[in-house]
Amino acid sequence: MRLLLVEDDVQMGPTLQNALSQAGYAVDLSVDGIDAEALGDIEPYDLIVLDLGLPKRSGLEVLQNWRNRNNHVPVVILTARGSWEEKVQGFKAGADDYVAKPFQTEELLARISAVLKRSSGTSGGPLQVAGLQLDEDAQSVQLSNGTLFTLTGTEFRLLRYFMLNPGQVISKSRLTEHVYEYDSDRDSNVIEVYVNRLRQKVGTDLIQTRRGQGYIFGSP
Amino acid sequence: MRLLLVEDDVQMGPTLQNALSQAGYAVDLSVDGIDAEALGDIEPYDLIVLDLGLPKRSGLEVLQNWRNRNNHVPVVILTARGSWEEKVQGFKAGADDYVAKPFQTEELLARISAVLKRSSGTSGGPLQVAGLQLDEDAQSVQLSNGTLFTLTGTEFRLLRYFMLNPGQVISKSRLTEHVYEYDSDRDSNVIEVYVNRLRQKVGTDLIQTRRGQGYIFGSP
DNA sequence: CGAATCAGGCTTAATTTAAGCTGAACTTAC
DNA sequence: GTAAGTTCAGCTTAAATTAAGCCTGATTCG
């Protein structure tokens, strides 16, 4: 799951980025409105955390521009506490949720997780697909026969992405984009290696190969 | 376990802070309502001790504002003895417990401990997880084989936080937030050092490392 | 039809990277 | 002076990545 964090505060930005990484997301950080707007259009983020008070171009404007261009990426905005106006404007502009500053990291994490679940159709409870149950607290997965596997960071992100998009052919480049932070364009077989490791844990049939196209998770 | 103590009395504030520290909490002290309100929103306290008679903004108001903003941190209020009204208003505003002034420190400690246990789902009796029994009075821990270890302050706070959140991956930054008082953002390996010391006492397997993610206490 | 070819995918082992561990020295508070 | 807390440096080890060779399914062509 790959996020864009748009936050110009030099203190808060990296701190949050770190916290989000630890929570198992791949996070890019952008520090101004123009840069953020471009990134949000180019990169396939699963969610964007958007501070409204930004240099160069306000967060609100950025958000409106995205929506005008039919970019419907889920957005959680960070508003000033008590600013009822900002919040309303934010929702009007197409935000999916908001967190008022100041906030606790755990609060933000909870909102992000909720929005992601909502936007993927699932609602509430642990992610449960195709006989697998993903435990986000323990970063582990339980099979239908009860066996429990712990997952490394990358395994976890990859599997979660599969489970959030079941029955859908997902190309390797799309996987790379969602599992890794910006850089990237790796000409390597990392994804294959990780698919292999996941298959060893959750079983071979759950992740099927579509030669030349990608993989498909949990589906006839 | 990290507390915020909100108490404007110059005598009582530091005295209580001291007592609470000795009892093994990391304690921040705030002396006015506005400051307290902000702190309570920003920092991830595990509990707040709130005097109702405060300068700048009344404790009641502060509490109401927190609850309105969906901040559900456990709160123990300090009310004037016999003031039935205050007590009722306090509960209405969302307090978890109250202690009437004047009180004995031990009374307050007991209430705090009770609220913490209640809010973490555990109820009654000493904290007992994964074969360990934590003695809050003596700041010591007993292993299932009977051996008893005394703990230093930091060891105690760390272990208690683990025991209150078993089976959950806890990042180092989260641990830092809950074990230390405000300042902090330490770029150091203190947590690692203390995990090491704890492991020497309670055994290696109880605190497992999830490389790149954090630690997980007492769980497969 | 079926053997040869080829490309994409799989798998395992080796290498690199960086997180975490730990003993000891140093600092601080009492 | 002592005990707790913190920092540091060298070491250990897991995770991430790369690379090489093998496997397999599709296609072509005799």
Side-chain angles (χ1 to χ4, degrees):
Chain A
M1 207 78 343
R2 187 166 161 213
L3 311 189
L4 173 63
L5 170 64
V6 192
E7 167 62 76
D8 62 301
D9 187 299
V10 216
Q11 194 87 55
M12 177 143 269
T15 309
L16 271 183
Q17 182 177 32
N18 186 39
L20 293 171
S21 297
Q22 296 241 345
Y25 302 102
V27 186
D28 294 342
L29 176 62
S30 171
V31 296
D32 77 74
I34 293 186
D35 181 56
E37 186 172 327
L39 275 176
D41 278 329
I42 301 169
E43 300 293 327
Y45 295 108
D46 299 290
L47 184 142
I48 296 178
V49 178
L50 181 66
D51 186 19
L52 291 192
L54 290 176
K56 298 198 185 171
R57 185 170 298 170
S58 94
L60 217 55
E61 204 178 330
V62 171
L63 176 55
Q64 273 163 345
N65 290 340
W66 282 333
R67 297 311 189 214
N68 285 341
R69 270 183 244 112
N70 273 322
N71 182 343
H72 294 297
V73 56
V75 170
V76 173
I77 55 178
L78 305 178
T79 72
R81 175 72 73 189
S83 168
W84 188 219
E85 256 192 4
E86 253 189 23
K87 180 181 151 192
V88 171
Q89 285 186 317
F91 274 116
K92 267 194 187 159
D96 295 85
D97 204 348
Y98 79 104
V99 180
K101 281 182 169 183
F103 55 84
Q104 298 182 202
T105 313
E106 277 150 40
E107 164 95 22
L108 179 61
L109 287 176
R111 297 302 184 96
I112 289 175
S113 170
V115 169
L116 283 176
K117 271 179 198 150
R118 206 184 327 143
S119 75
S120 76
T122 331
S123 68
L127 197 47
Q128 224 166 339
V129 186
L132 296 187
Q133 178 166 337
L134 196 68
D135 182 338
E136 308 222 1
D137 285 340
Q139 303 215 158
S140 62
V141 63
Q142 185 162 24
L143 275 53
S144 47
N145 67 20
T147 2
L148 198 73
F149 286 100
T150 64
L151 303 169
T152 70
T154 309
E155 286 170 359
F156 179 73
R157 290 198 298 276
L158 186 60
L159 180 56
R160 177 169 51 183
Y161 194 75
F162 273 129
M163 289 179 74
L164 285 171
N165 300 279
Q168 197 177 127
V169 176
I170 309 177
S171 72
K172 275 187 279 192
S173 61
R174 194 169 138 205
L175 287 173
T176 311
E177 284 172 343
H178 284 272
V179 168
Y180 289 98
E181 305 177 3
Y182 183 82
D183 70 346
S184 63
D185 234 27
R186 17 200 119 212
D187 182 18
S188 84
N189 65 343
V190 235
I191 294 295
E192 286 163 27
V193 171
Y194 274 99
V195 165
N196 178 20
R197 289 193 192 155
L198 273 185
R199 294 216 253 232
Q200 288 178 10
K201 289 187 176 176
V202 305
T204 318
D205 347 330
L206 271 181
I207 306 174
Q208 294 181 341
T209 305
R210 285 297 168 76
R211 186 164 258 254
Q213 308 183 94
Y215 298 98
I216 186 167
F217 176 83
S219 172
Chain B
M1 208 78 342
R2 189 166 160 211
L3 311 190
L4 174 63
L5 170 63
V6 192
E7 168 61 77
D8 62 301
D9 187 300
V10 217
Q11 194 85 55
M12 177 143 271
T15 309
L16 269 183
Q17 181 178 31
N18 190 38
L20 292 170
S21 296
Q22 296 243 342
Y25 302 101
V27 186
D28 295 341
L29 175 61
S30 170
V31 296
D32 77 72
I34 293 185
D35 182 56
E37 187 173 325
L39 276 176
D41 279 328
I42 302 168
E43 300 294 326
Y45 295 109
D46 299 291
L47 183 142
I48 296 178
V49 178
L50 182 66
D51 186 19
L52 290 192
L54 290 175
K56 296 199 186 169
R57 187 170 296 171
S58 93
L60 217 54
E61 203 178 330
V62 171
L63 177 54
Q64 273 163 345
N65 289 340
W66 282 331
R67 298 311 189 216
N68 285 340
R69 270 182 244 115
N70 275 323
N71 183 341
H72 294 297
V73 56
V75 170
V76 173
I77 53 178
L78 306 178
T79 73
R81 173 75 69 190
S83 168
W84 228 62
E85 257 192 2
E86 254 190 22
K87 181 180 149 190
V88 171
Q89 285 186 315
F91 275 116
K92 265 194 188 159
D96 296 85
D97 205 348
Y98 77 104
V99 180
K101 283 180 168 182
F103 54 84
Q104 294 190 293
T105 313
E106 275 150 39
E107 165 92 22
L108 179 59
L109 287 176
R111 297 303 185 97
I112 288 174
S113 170
V115 170
L116 281 176
K117 272 179 197 149
R118 207 185 323 143
S119 75
S120 75
T122 333
S123 68
L127 197 46
Q128 226 166 339
V129 186
L132 295 188
Q133 178 166 337
L134 196 68
D135 183 336
E136 311 223 359
D137 292 334
Q139 297 208 170
S140 63
V141 63
Q142 184 162 23
L143 274 53
S144 47
N145 66 19
T147 3
L148 198 73
F149 287 100
T150 63
L151 303 169
T152 71
T154 309
E155 287 170 359
F156 177 73
R157 290 196 299 276
L158 187 60
L159 180 56
R160 177 169 49 186
Y161 194 75
F162 273 129
M163 290 178 74
L164 285 171
N165 300 279
Q168 200 177 125
V169 176
I170 308 178
S171 72
K172 276 187 279 193
S173 59
R174 196 170 137 202
L175 287 173
T176 310
E177 281 177 342
H178 285 272
V179 167
Y180 288 99
E181 308 177 1
Y182 183 82
D183 73 345
S184 59
D185 231 28
R186 17 200 118 213
D187 183 19
S188 86
N189 67 342
V190 235
I191 295 293
E192 287 164 29
V193 170
Y194 274 98
V195 165
N196 179 14
R197 289 188 189 164
L198 272 184
R199 294 215 253 233
Q200 289 178 9
K201 291 186 175 175
V202 305
T204 318
D205 347 331
L206 272 181
I207 306 173
Q208 293 182 340
T209 304
R210 287 294 175 76
R211 188 166 259 249
Q213 308 177 127
Y215 298 98
I216 187 168
F217 176 83
S219 169

